Amino acid sequence: MIPAMDRLEVKASLTVTDAGEIVGTAWPFGEPDTAGDLIVKGAFNFVSNELPILFQHNPADLIGTWTDAAETPDGLVVKGKLHTDQPRARTILGMVKSGLVAGLSIGFKTKSSTQQGRNRVIAALDLYEISVVRN
């Protein structure tokens, strides 16, 4: 039995090609997530030129590499490639194409933040990974 949800939050959007090239918005600016985190433009510090693509934030489930990440006025936009030579990445590719998996979520360490009401406003963070996740 699937538990009832009060609200389903999609923090990000993504598209993928048959070859495993993946593009998406990993964090949209302007609205806090359900935990109350609001990341402001200019907050992202990339700890590596190439970030891992994980499945569900599992470090043992490396499925690709993000090769480009940039802040736009709307959010953090990323481009990468699934490691389609690996069976697990091909499985995830199929799940993304079918819509079963359709979100992105970031793994980060906060460096600077303030509290505004119930929201934590994050002004600086180290970005370590971006995961493909179920919505």
Side-chain angles (χ1 to χ4, degrees):
M1 184 169 123
I2 299 173
M5 292 186 219
D6 291 332
R7 179 177 157 194
L8 181 65
E9 177 181 21
V10 179
K11 291 195 305 188
S13 59
L14 67 116
T15 60
V16 68
T17 68
D18 290 340
E21 295 159 345
I22 188 167
V23 176
T25 302
W27 187 276
F29 293 134
E31 293 292 322
D33 64 5
T34 54
D37 285 343
L38 178 68
I39 299 174
V40 299
K41 190 172 185 326
F44 288 94
N45 174 48
F46 306 99
V47 296
S48 171
N49 287 341
E50 293 186 341
L51 294 168
I53 301 174
L54 303 179
F55 183 63
Q56 296 289 123
H57 296 291
N58 181 350
D61 209 353
L62 175 65
I63 58 168
T65 305
W66 297 109
T67 56
D68 188 30
E71 289 187 20
T72 70
D74 296 325
L76 179 67
V77 175
V78 292
K79 297 177 186 177
K81 177 85 168 74
L82 295 175
H83 299 162
T84 54
D85 57 329
Q86 298 175 6
R88 179 67 173 153
R90 287 194 303 273
T91 298
I92 303 299
L93 173 61
M95 288 192 278
V96 172
K97 291 183 71 172
S98 73
L100 182 63
V101 172
L104 297 175
S105 180
I106 61 174
F108 64 94
K109 182 176 180 184
T110 303
K111 293 175 74 175
S112 173
S113 69
T114 57
Q115 199 69 30
Q116 291 182 356
R118 82 170 212 53
N119 296 331
R120 179 173 68 146
V121 179
I122 300 171
L125 62 82
D126 287 337
L127 183 64
Y128 288 97
E129 58 90 8
I130 303 168
S131 286
V132 177
V133 297
R134 291 198 57 192
N135 305 18

